[in-house]
Amino acid sequence: MGATASNTAHENFDAVIIGAGFSGLYTLHRLRDDLGLKVRAFDAAEDVGGTWYWNRYPGARCDIESYWYSYSFDEDLQREWTWKEQFSDQPEILRYLNHVADRFDLRRDIQCNTRVNAAIFDEDIRRWKIETSDGKCVEAQFLISGLGNLSLPQEPNFPGLSDFTGEVYSTSRWPHEPVDFTDKRVAIVGTGASAIQAIPLIAEQAARLTVFQRTANYATPLQNRPIDPEESAAIKAKYPELRRYSRETYAGIPYELEFEIRPSVFADSEEDREQVFEERYAGGSFRLPYGSYLDVLTDLEANKFVSEFVRRKIRERVNDPKVADILTPTSHPYGAKRVPCETNYYETFNRDNVELIDAKKTPIIEATANGLRTQDREFEVDAIIMAIGFDAMSGPLMNIDVRGRGGQTIQDKWRAGPQTYLGFASHGFPNLFIITGPQSPSVWYNMPSAIEDHVDFATDLIAYMREHGLETCDPELDAERKWVVHTKEEADKTIVPAAESYYMGTNIPGKPRCCMVYVGGAPKYRGICADVVAQGYAGFAFKEEGTTDANSKRHTGVDAHQSASR
Ligand code: N01
């Protein structure tokens, strides 16, 4: 923290929120409008929207149905907003988030164009001092991270990139103005969910598109379509009930209303299994991984059936068997990496103007003035698109100079992997609440529901503290250690550790390998959180207002492990 900033009088808030996306907007609404707190949200972007502000690449859209991938907290809001497509595109979702900001009069407490550079917990006054990119410092009792899980792009580290004389784009920092690739030779690096949405549209426009694929992915159809007025009215009529029900499902998407999720691939005949896979594949979105058999994501032997099914689909859709071979994943099981949903992705490789490069076999060595060079060839292009993903989950918070008690930095604390309690708080960082933090369900759950659950948890916790005259809240080290172990145990019951992925932190060179997501399922996680609350916030240590370390009174419930280890 700069000496000047720390010595001057600072504007004081009850809570500061970092980010004005889905998390930040709802946190601001709850803390300000329900608890009456003085709150300020900061966002580095020019406007609200978070993920949906930045990720504007062609084809960007949600891949959980919009009537689930949206806020549920306000009945009037969900009734007045009409989604036009099953899976809304980025401009529509951004319009929705702007509507929410206006409808709840949130903008007056959001400062855009302002990055939070540092947040230091001052133990003398037991408040956070937050330094921002406009050179100011503010103080707050509570610091809420609404930074998101996929907000810190991975830096492209190809040597020579600055020598490239053409245009360089990143899917996660796409320009606001439309980019016209007509008559251009374009290269795209990466074949994750972002590239898989962008590639078919860019291929339609560009003179030539070269796709550099390092790891083949298992993409399955999205099946987007318009929502007709009758369907929309039917959903709206039953919204509260449907939302309640969806939160009781593993990933927050109520597939059980459409079909039975079958217990095991081994319990069905080959013919029945094939029919289940076909129906879920044709149904689109995440019906195949989350809605077919319970054991495809937990048992590697069971998973072989669905992995092979998707491989077969890829081969059927790609004309050239050599190209199909490169596109067919063999290095990991289906669902261990995030499943991308696609529209015409595989058919795009049947076009004459699209070339697929196996960047595992012939890695990109460098960028040149004219394009990209692999081990055996130079590719001359007019534009390079980086679709190489994010320093996910722990990256966004670790990218800020956050210091807790004793000056410990979050970078030090999480050096060997995130250490959190419930994926929501970290010992030694009092009153820092991380919305959908690492080791919470986050991206393994419908994100807006995961966000609402965490924001509600934070709001209730702050209300509880105010009611009981408690000034700080810090997870106990023991509870945190048990949560880290529990998160790993849950991951080990699934196929997630069987792949290198951003779930496991391994997409970033040097990042420790550990599961960053709570994969025990939303109902289990929600049950644990409810128990923690019922037991007087078990696992959290509180200090009463005006107490010092010497005479602090513990205000903890029973051992959280009883809940966490269920
Ligand atoms: O990023 P990714 P993404 N040389 O990490 C490759 C969400 N999302 O932006 O697999 C060559 O998935 C890398 O290869 P490999 C969603 O949660 C949601 O696409 O590491 N290639 C991989 O192919 C998603 O999961 C929606 O071997 C390199 C790709 O880049 C998450 O965002 C839409 C490389 C990165 O894929 C991230 O998706 C889009 C290198 N040096 C995204 N470095 C919705 O629909 C990396 N790669 C809501």
Side-chain angles (χ1 to χ4, degrees), residues 52 55 57 60-64 69 150 154 157-158 171 189-197 212-215 217 337-339 359-360 364 387-390 443 500 502-503 507:
W52 297 102
N55 290 268
Y57 59 85
R61 60 175 68 243
C62 63
D63 49 14
I64 288 175
Y69 189 90
L150 296 154
Q154 167 156 221
N157 61 357
F158 301 104
T171 46
V189 183
T191 51
S194 304
I196 284 173
Q197 288 185 330
F212 292 86
Q213 172 196 279
R214 196 166 63 179
T215 307
N217 229 325
K337 288 170 88 135
R338 207 279 201 168
V339 174
K360 187 148 271 167
I364 301 167
I388 58 174
F390 300 86
V443 296
E500 305 309 328
Y502 74 78
Y503 293 154
N507 67 323

Side-chain angles (χ1 to χ4, degrees), residues 179-200:
V179 180
D180 188 359
F181 291 118
T182 309
D183 296 334
K184 291 200 172 144
R185 298 159 303 168
V186 181
I188 185 162
V189 183
T191 51
S194 304
I196 284 173
Q197 288 185 330
I199 284 168

Side-chain angles (χ1 to χ4, degrees), residues 149 414 418-427 432-442 445 450 453-455 457-458 461 473-487 515-519 521-522 524-542 558-566:
N149 303 96
W414 289 4
Q419 309 287 309
T420 75
Y421 180 46
L422 303 174
F424 173 79
S426 191
H427 173 76
L432 165 63
F433 302 144
I434 312 161
I435 304 305
T436 67
Q439 295 162 343
S440 78
S442 65
Y445 184 20
D453 286 359
H454 256 193
V455 173
F457 188 86
L461 174 55
C473 162
D474 197 4
E476 301 207 306
L477 192 55
D478 191 42
E480 179 172 288
R481 286 187 176 142
K482 285 169 180 160
W483 184 255
V484 174
V485 170
H486 176 62
T487 301
C515 186
M516 308 254 167
V517 195
Y518 182 78
V519 294
K524 185 167 188 174
Y525 180 80
R526 287 165 54 78
I528 291 169
C529 290
D531 284 353
V532 165
V533 175
Q535 295 164 29
Y537 288 96
F540 287 101
F542 295 96
V558 300
D559 188 336
H561 182 58
Q562 284 170 8
S563 315
S565 61
R566 293 176 324 162

